[in-house]
Amino acid sequence: MATNNDVWAVIETDNNGKPKKLGLELTSLAAQTAREYGGQAGAIVIGPQEAAQAVGQYGATQVFYCADPQCKSDPVGPAAAVIASLISQHNPRLVLLPATSLGRDWTGRLVGKLGLGVEADVTELTVDNGKATTVTPAFNGALRVSSQFTNEGEQTGLVMVRPGTATAQKSEGAAANVQEVPVPSDAKPGMTVMESVAEKGGVPDLAGAQTIVAAGRGVGGADNLGEVRDLADALGGAVAATRAIVDMGWIPYAYQVGQTGKTVRPKLYIAVGISGEIQHKVGMQTSGTIIAINKDPNAPIFQFCDLGVVGDLHQVVPALTEEIRKRRGMG
Amino acid sequence: MGLLRPQEKKLLNIVVCMKSVPDTTAEKRLLPDGTLDRAAVSPVINPWDEFAIEEALRIREGGDGSGEIVLLCMGPENSAETIRKGLAMGADRAVLVTDPALHGSDYWATGQVLASALKGIQADLIMFGSLSSDGGGGVVYNIVAELLGLPALTWLTEVEVKDGKARGKRASDIGYDVVEAPLLAIVSVTQTAHEPRYPSLPGIMKAKKKEIATMTTGDLGIDASTVGLAGARTTVTGSERPQTARAKQVIKAEDPLSTAKAIADFLEQRKLI
Ligand SMILES: Cc1cc2nc3c(=O)[nH]c(=O)nc-3n(C[C@H](O)[C@H](O)[C@H](O)COP(=O)(O)OP(=O)(O)OC[C@H]3O[C@@H](n4cnc5c(N)ncnc54)[C@H](O)[C@@H]3O)c2cc1C
Ligand SMILES: Nc1ncnc2c1ncn2[C@@H]1O[C@H](COP(=O)(O)O)[C@@H](O)[C@H]1O
C-alpha cells in the first residue's frame, strides 16, 4: 500500500493532560518535513481534547486524539492499537515518535502489528530528493550514522526522535481539524497500572534538560549533594549522577547518566567530582559545552571537556553558585 | 501457539533474551555494508541483559529453586563466548540462533526470530534488558510481545513474581507506577538494585558442560530472504566519527572567588548564562 506525503507526530501527555514538550517539537518537525514532501502534518495525541487543540497550534492540520481512560490504566496496549489503526487507514509517509520509554514501547508494538521499519534515536531528519535521511548517534555517540528507509513511499516509516532535535514553533496557519478516535476493539493488553506513586523529591527530566550539573563520587557523601543542587538551581538546571553514587545509595537511579542510565544532550553539562570513565562518558559526550571540576589533573574527564577546573569542588562549587546568583541578579 | 506452560505451577521456567554486544570500551567501526564490524571487537553480554539474568536467578532463588532458566540469543557464532558467561552466572542452558542470513537484521526481523524460537521453549516468564547498548532502540521486546500476543511489563527497576503474576516498578514522570501482568508475560528490566553476580569458579566449570543448542532460520521455518540485510527496512547510507573538537582549556583553581569568576566568564562568553 503506497503511502501519501503526510508526516505525523505522536504525542504523549503529562499527568495534567498537557502535551509533553517533546511532542510539540515532533509536531513542528512533522510540519517542516511534510512541507518538503508537499504533504500535510498530522498528529496523534494520547490524551484529552484540550491537549489535541494545543498541539494543533504547532503546525499540524489534522489532530487525532484518544482520551479513553484505558490508555491510562494500560499505557501501552490501547494506545498502540489506536496509532496502528490510524496508520493503516491513512498511510502517512513518516510517523515521528518520542524516543522515550513509552515511545519505544509503542514503536515496538507498531512494528509487531504492521511490520514497519524504524529509525531509532534520531537527532537529525532531512529530506533530499524526496527521500528522508536520518542521523543517529550510534554506539552511544561513538559514530554518527546516517540511514534511509529502503521502502520509503511504499510503507510508513517510523522515526523515533530524541529531545532537542527540533524546536517547538507555533504556526500562523488555520486552526487544526481535531477528531476523537476510539480504542479499537482488537487492542491487546500491554500492562496494567495498579498504583501510581509520587516520589517525594520529584523526578528529574534529564532528557529534556538544557543545563545539567552532575555529581560523582568526589562529592564525598549524600549530605554534600546540596552543593551540587544549589549550583543547578542557580543555573536553572537539573541534577544528575554517576552510577558510582547511585550504587552507594546517595541518589536514586532516575538521576543516573551513562551506559545503563540515561543518555543526555544538554547545552551545558557540568561534571562535579566525576572521573569520566567510558560508561559515564557515553551518556553525556554529545552535550553542548562540558565543564569538569575535579581535583585530579589526570582524570579522564579533562580529555573531553571544554573547560576543566583542577581543584577542590567543595571550594569551587559554592563560590561558583554565589557568582552565578550574583550575575543573574538572584542576590 | 507453541509456547508451552508447565502444568505444575510451582515450577517457574524463565527465558532470558540476551544480546552479545561489542564491549563499550572498544573502538567501533562499520563495515562497507554499514553494519558493525563485530569480528574486530570482543563481545560482552549487553549490560542491560546482565541485569535481566541476575533478576531471573533471584526470582528462582526466591521461589523453591526449581524451574529452568534458558538463555536465548540471536547473533554471530562468537556469541557463544558471552552465552557461556551467562551460563556460568547460573542459567541452565541456551539457544543460539545463528545464521549468515541474519547478518544485518532489522528490529522486525530480530523480533520474528526471537518470537519463533520462543515458541519452542517452555516458559512462564520471558525476560529482556530494556535497551541494547550497540544501537538498540528498546523495541524488540514489544515486537515479540505483539507477535506472541503477550502482555509486557517494560522498563522495570524492580521485578517480582507472585501468585501467577509478574509485578514491578516502572519509572513515571512523578515517581513510579506499580505494574502487573498475568503469566505468561514479558518483562524488560533496567539497571536494578542487584549488581549482576560474577561467575564463581565452580559456576564457570559447570558452564562448560551446559548445552548451547544452535538453530538456523531454516530450523525456525523463517524465510531467509525476509531477514538480514536483504530484508531490512532501513539501510545505512554513511557514517562518520563525530566532531568532538573540545576546547580542553584547563585552569587551576587557586582561590575560589577568581576561579568562580573565570568559570562564569566562560559561561557568559558561550551565552550559557
Ligand atoms: C556495565 C557497566 C555499566 C556502567 N554504567 C554506568 C552508567 O550508566 N553511568 C555511570 O556514571 N557509570 C557507569 N558505570 C561505572 C563507571 O565505570 C565508573 O565506575 C563510574 O562512572 C565512576 O563514577 P565517578 O566518576 O562518580 O567515581 P570515581 O571514578 O570514583 O571518580 C571520582 C572523581 O572525583 C574526584 N574527586 C574526589 N574528591 C574530589 C574533590 N574534593 N574535589 C574535586 N574532585 C574530587 C576524583 O579525582 C575522581 O576523579 C558502569 C560500569 C559498568 C561496568
Ligand atoms: N539479537 C538478540 N538476541 C537476543 N536478544 C536480543 C537481541 N536483540 C535484542 N534483544 C533483547 O531485546 C532487548 C532490547 O533490544 P533493542 O530493542 O535492540 O534495544 C535487549 O536488551 C535484549 O534483551
Side-chain angles (χ1 to χ4, degrees):
Chain A
M1 183 71 179
T3 71
N4 58 31
N5 285 328
D6 296 350
V7 181
W8 287 2
V10 177
I11 291 116
E12 292 178 46
T13 49
D14 66 17
N15 257 27
N16 304 315
K18 296 252 160 49
K20 291 202 181 171
K21 178 161 167 262
L22 175 53
L24 301 179
E25 293 175 11
L26 296 191
T27 309
S28 291
L29 183 59
Q32 191 186 316
T33 313
R35 260 198 306 278
E36 306 264 352
Y37 288 121
Q40 307 278 315
I44 305 174
V45 175
I46 305 301
Q49 187 182 20
E50 301 78 67
Q53 269 150 354
V55 165
Q57 300 171 353
Y58 288 82
T61 44
Q62 172 74 51
V63 183
F64 301 100
Y65 72 96
C66 181
D68 193 312
Q70 283 182 69
C71 297
K72 278 239 163 77
S73 54
D74 175 355
V76 179
V82 167
I83 303 164
S85 126
L86 286 168
I87 292 176
S88 308
Q89 284 168 51
H90 299 269
N91 299 296
R93 193 169 183 106
L94 300 177
V95 176
L96 317 184
L97 292 121
T100 56
S101 34
L102 186 55
R104 292 173 202 274
D105 286 336
W106 290 339
T107 304
R109 290 276 169 180
L110 294 175
V111 175
K113 284 175 199 288
L114 305 173
L116 306 179
V118 181
E119 300 287 10
D121 293 290
V122 165
T123 56
E124 286 170 43
L125 168 62
T126 49
V127 178
D128 305 299
N129 301 321
K131 234 175 160 310
T133 298
T134 61
V135 173
T136 295
F139 310 112
N140 289 308
L143 289 176
R144 264 169 55 94
V145 174
S146 329
S147 34
Q148 296 186 334
F149 290 103
T150 47
N151 50 5
E152 189 178 329
E154 292 158 41
Q155 189 189 49
T156 301
L158 304 179
V159 184
M160 285 201 289
V161 181
R162 285 203 180 158
T165 299
T167 337
Q169 269 169 336
K170 288 209 175 171
S171 70
E172 334 255 89
N177 179 29
V178 172
Q179 186 189 334
E180 183 167 15
V181 288
V183 173
S185 53
D186 64 353
K188 292 188 201 152
M191 65 178 78
T192 307
V193 176
M194 309 301 290
E195 192 187 355
S196 283
V197 180
E199 207 83 74
K200 264 203 275 69
V203 173
D205 174 23
L206 295 183
Q210 299 288 328
T211 297
I212 289 178
V213 185
R217 205 197 310 254
V219 165
D223 296 344
N224 300 339
L225 283 173
E227 290 173 11
V228 173
R229 210 163 274 133
D230 288 347
L231 177 55
D233 286 346
L235 288 163
V239 171
T242 63
R243 176 163 168 190
I245 75 166
V246 171
D247 283 349
M248 284 188 293
W250 296 358
I251 196 166
Y253 169 62
Y255 291 82
Q256 182 178 316
V257 166
Q259 185 176 43
T260 48
K262 301 222 159 63
T263 299
V264 299
R265 195 166 51 126
K267 290 208 173 88
L268 172 62
Y269 191 93
I270 306 186
V272 179
I274 292 178
S275 59
E277 290 294 329
I278 180 84
Q279 290 90 353
H280 185 75
K281 180 183 176 188
V282 294
M284 45 67 80
Q285 66 186 345
T286 56
S287 300
T289 292
I290 298 174
I291 297 183
I293 304 170
N294 193 307
K295 69 178 182 190
D296 173 9
N298 298 317
I301 190 109
F302 290 128
Q303 296 308 310
F304 56 93
C305 67
D306 297 281
L307 178 64
V309 180
V310 181
D312 181 5
L313 66 92
H314 300 299
Q315 307 261 313
V316 176
V317 172
L320 179 58
T321 305
E322 242 347 272
E323 185 64 24
I324 304 245
R325 281 195 185 132
K326 230 186 271 162
R327 295 200 191 189
R328 300 188 72 189
M330 294 161 76
Chain B
M1 190 174 63
L3 275 163
L4 308 169
R5 268 169 197 260
Q7 295 306 307
E8 180 61 63
K9 272 331 297 175
K10 262 194 297 189
L11 269 178
L12 188 78
N13 292 331
I14 306 177
V15 181
V16 184
C17 292
M18 57 152 274
K19 190 175 187 186
S20 186
V21 299
D23 193 345
T24 322
T25 50
E27 274 285 290
K28 277 130 204 133
R29 63 187 189 95
L30 297 191
L31 294 168
D33 67 4
T35 63
L36 177 70
D37 186 355
R38 289 183 192 270
V41 287
S42 58
V44 296
I45 303 176
N46 173 28
W48 298 74
D49 302 348
E50 278 193 69
F51 284 99
I53 298 172
E54 178 61 34
E55 292 300 326
L57 293 167
R58 282 174 180 263
I59 288 169
R60 176 163 69 182
E61 287 156 6
D64 64 358
S66 69
E68 196 182 32
I69 298 179
V70 182
L71 304 177
L72 171 60
C73 176
M74 169 184 127
E77 275 173 28
N78 75 356
S79 309
E81 275 174 54
T82 50
I83 291 174
R84 276 292 163 220
K85 188 183 167 210
L87 294 173
M89 285 172 75
D92 300 298
R93 64 183 179 93
V95 176
L96 169 60
V97 185
T98 186
D99 192 323
L102 290 170
H103 171 77
S105 285
D106 64 7
Y107 297 120
W108 180 85
T110 304
Q112 295 292 320
V113 167
L114 295 181
S116 307
L118 282 165
K119 287 183 188 169
I121 309 175
Q122 213 172 44
D124 299 284
L125 184 66
I126 305 171
M127 299 188 68
F128 288 78
S130 290
L131 202 64
S132 38
S133 67
D134 61 341
V139 291
V140 165
Y141 35 88
N142 268 303
I143 301 176
V144 172
E146 189 67 28
L147 293 173
L148 297 178
L150 296 177
L153 307 179
T154 55
W155 303 90
L156 300 190
T157 54
E158 275 178 37
V159 55
E160 64 171 4
V161 174
K162 235 168 79 186
D163 308 328
K165 286 180 186 141
R167 180 189 260 266
K169 285 187 183 176
R170 167 183 164 106
S172 75
D173 296 336
I174 54 162
Y176 61 88
D177 289 343
V178 177
V179 292
E180 194 177 276
L183 300 181
L184 170 68
I186 283 182
V187 157
S188 88
V189 299
T190 62
Q191 180 177 311
T192 69
H194 305 127
E195 177 76 23
R197 65 195 65 186
Y198 282 106
S200 65
L201 202 55
I204 294 170
M205 297 311 289
K206 270 199 236 157
K208 292 191 173 147
K209 298 203 193 69
K210 290 179 179 170
E211 179 198 25
I212 302 180
T214 57
M215 299 185 92
T216 61
T217 48
D219 296 334
L220 294 174
I222 287 176
D223 174 356
S225 72
T226 63
V227 295
L229 271 181
R233 287 151 187 75
T234 54
T235 179
V236 169
T237 53
S239 79
E240 56 178 33
R241 297 204 176 272
Q243 300 298 337
T244 41
R246 300 259 173 214
K248 288 196 229 171
Q249 180 188 334
V250 176
I251 56 172
K252 261 192 95 157
E254 302 296 352
D255 81 293
L257 187 63
S258 55
T259 307
K261 283 195 167 26
I263 303 172
D265 287 347
F266 179 88
L267 290 172
E268 270 178 3
Q269 265 167 32
R270 294 205 172 193
K271 301 198 163 48
L272 291 166
I273 45 171

